Amino acid sequence: MLEASHRYFHHAADVLGLSDKIRSILLTPRRVVKVEIVAEADDGSLLHHTGFRVQHNNARGPCKGGLRYHPTMDEDHASALANLMTWKTAIVDVPYGGAKGGIDCDPSTMSRFEVERVTRAFIEQIREVIGPNLDIPAPDVNTNADIMAWIMDEYSKYYGFSPAVVTGKPLHLFGSVGREEATGRGVMYALDEALQDQGRGMEGTTVAMQGFGNVGSHAARLIAERGGKLVAVADHLGAVAKEDGLDVPALFAYGREHRTVKGFPGGEPFDGGDVITWKADVLIPAALEDAITAENAGDVQAGIVVEGANAPTTPEADVILAEKGVTVVPDILANAGGVTVSYFEWAQNIQQFRWELDRVVKELEKTMRRAYGAVRDVAKEKEVDLRTAAFVLAIQRVGRAGLSRRSVREEIDLS
Ligand code: NAD
């Protein structure tokens, strides 16, 4: 996975003509932490897990990035995702660097109390390297507001009241209105911009989606509110489709209750693997990485892919999509709404001041549309696709900040 994100980086670095030395400075993570977690299970036995936190770059501010609880979590995943966070925070121009981490556990097989004990044991181990001005975790796959609350509580035991150490907290515990749906809302704005580029609107646009968790479900709800039609959706347990559009509010409620779209009565079940090649105007991968691969990319029917998930397209698939003329709105732009509202939450915590929802929504929309516009401008100027343009813009911003903080004995043109 790390190799894939590096390939995208190098492609943009080639466009900028960066030396090997500067590439190495920009790609090397500043800190990689791996800890062994031992916590008590409900039956008195011991749970053993490994926790990771990779802080990739902090030239533009404290490190920022989610925590993922998943059996596949390892150093490679944490490093690749931390790397993406550095570029993502630069694209939406929030004052952060990039980080990512998590634990190689499967919360679906654990009790709430076990998840809490494992979380607290993890924070106890990494507390010295996180903090409001150092590194601020947030939710990602299989982590949520409850877990963020435990992190705030555990950290505050050592350092005093510190709500700004973590974002994505519950609303009643210094969370921000609009944070839960922020990534999905940002995906919707990114899609709207891509459609406008093609002289089209959201009304009547058909969408196929993989993943109906935090990102997917909110994106689907907001797209449907603007007249888009969700024609197929798949999650890890099942999939449903309806040619003239699923009833998204009903599906949203069903998904909240059953934690899956499987069995939703308002559509026909199908093999979820087919969602990537479903007949629709737009494909939104919003589950895990490597969803669009060399095997299925050639059969993608959508003309626009908006990457709600992180790293859902392999580099080989990206080439195939480009050859087919598919517009890909890359993850580091499309799903940056989450970190943007995390920044609003952090700013509110530091100021001890609460924003109203309309302010959050307005600022998020402004940030996403401005970021999309900046990426589009680079794409036009350098005659590259949106992904390469996004990396070019991000490398310029991170590189300039790094160079202003510390001189390098080398002439570098980051224009
Ligand atoms: P989530 O845990 O809320 O939901 C994940 C969804 O993916 C679920 O519907 C699950 O069933 C589905 N899924 C998992 N494996 C699947 C498979 N093999 N096939 C089909 N569906 C599968 O997670 P989330 O927060 O919605 O995150 C989804 C993606 O978006 C991840 O790549 C994450 O890194 C990225 N992301 C999340 C945020 C955020 O704010 N939550 C921000 C930026 C990026």
Side-chain angles (χ1 to χ4, degrees), residues 68 70 81 88 100 139-143 179-180 183 210-216 234-237 259 272 286-289 308-311 335-336 338-339:
R68 179 179 292 195
H70 198 274
L81 294 165
K88 192 181 300 184
K100 204 79 173 195
D140 191 72
V141 175
N142 293 333
T143 54
R179 172 61 185 93
E180 196 204 305
T183 309
Q210 185 193 48
F212 202 68
N214 173 284
V215 178
D235 67 19
H236 72 296
L237 293 176
R259 323 261 358 128
L288 295 178
E289 52 278 354
N310 283 313
N335 69 34
V339 74

Side-chain angles (χ1 to χ4, degrees), residues 66-293:
L67 288 177
R68 179 179 292 195
Y69 288 3
H70 198 274
T72 61
M73 185 33 101
D74 57 16
E75 191 180 316
D76 180 78
H77 273 74
S79 296
L81 294 165
N83 191 297
L84 289 180
M85 285 306 297
T86 296
W87 316 126
K88 192 181 300 184
T89 51
I91 287 169
V92 281
D93 203 10
V94 292
Y96 293 132
K100 204 79 173 195
I103 303 175
D104 63 353
C105 66
D106 180 359
S108 70
T109 63
M110 298 159 72
S111 75
R112 179 180 165 82
F113 297 106
E114 288 172 340
V115 175
E116 178 175 349
R117 282 195 291 272
V118 166
T119 299
R120 287 186 188 276
F122 180 47
I123 297 307
E124 211 279 319
Q125 299 252 51
I126 65 163
R127 65 186 167 85
E128 283 167 13
V129 298
I130 61 169
N133 293 314
L134 264 185
D135 179 3
I136 306 126
D140 191 72
V141 175
N142 293 333
T143 54
N144 55 25
D146 291 346
I147 294 175
M148 300 307 118
W150 300 328
I151 294 174
M152 177 194 130
D153 185 72
E154 189 65 24
Y155 184 86
S156 296
K157 276 185 196 166
Y158 296 95
Y159 302 101
F161 175 68
S162 311
V165 67
V166 66
T167 57
K169 299 178 292 294
L171 260 188
H172 57 269
L173 201 70
F174 309 100
S176 175
V177 283
R179 172 61 185 93
E180 196 204 305
E181 77 220 47
T183 309
R185 188 178 283 281
V187 166
M188 179 271 291
Y189 291 134
L191 171 59
D192 190 49
E193 288 287 325
L195 288 167
Q196 281 185 37
D197 275 352
Q198 301 187 356
R200 301 151 64 187
M202 200 84 84
E203 185 71 42
T205 293
T206 55
V207 176
M209 179 177 280
Q210 185 193 48
F212 202 68
N214 173 284
V215 178
S217 64
H218 284 293
R221 180 177 64 79
L222 293 160
I223 289 167
E225 278 176 12
R226 284 155 185 79
K229 284 201 285 186
L230 184 69
V231 291
V233 61
D235 67 19
H236 72 296
L237 293 176
V240 281
K242 194 168 182 224
E243 209 177 322
D244 57 354
L246 293 153
D247 177 345
V248 175
L251 181 65
F252 189 89
Y254 184 92
R256 284 289 173 281
E257 187 184 342
H258 300 272
R259 323 261 358 128
T260 176
V261 299
K262 186 180 177 187
F264 178 63
E268 291 299 314
F270 69 98
D271 178 352
D274 294 341
V275 76
I276 300 298
T277 55
W278 206 260
K279 187 173 176 347
D281 301 319
V282 175
L283 170 64
I284 303 183
L288 295 178
E289 52 278 354
D290 299 344
I292 310 176
T293 63

Side-chain angles (χ1 to χ4, degrees), residues 349-361:
N349 293 158
I350 286 171
Q351 295 175 352
Q352 290 296 321
F353 183 80
R354 275 184 181 268
W355 294 12
E356 304 280 340
L357 181 61
D358 63 344
R359 180 171 177 193
V360 170
V361 170

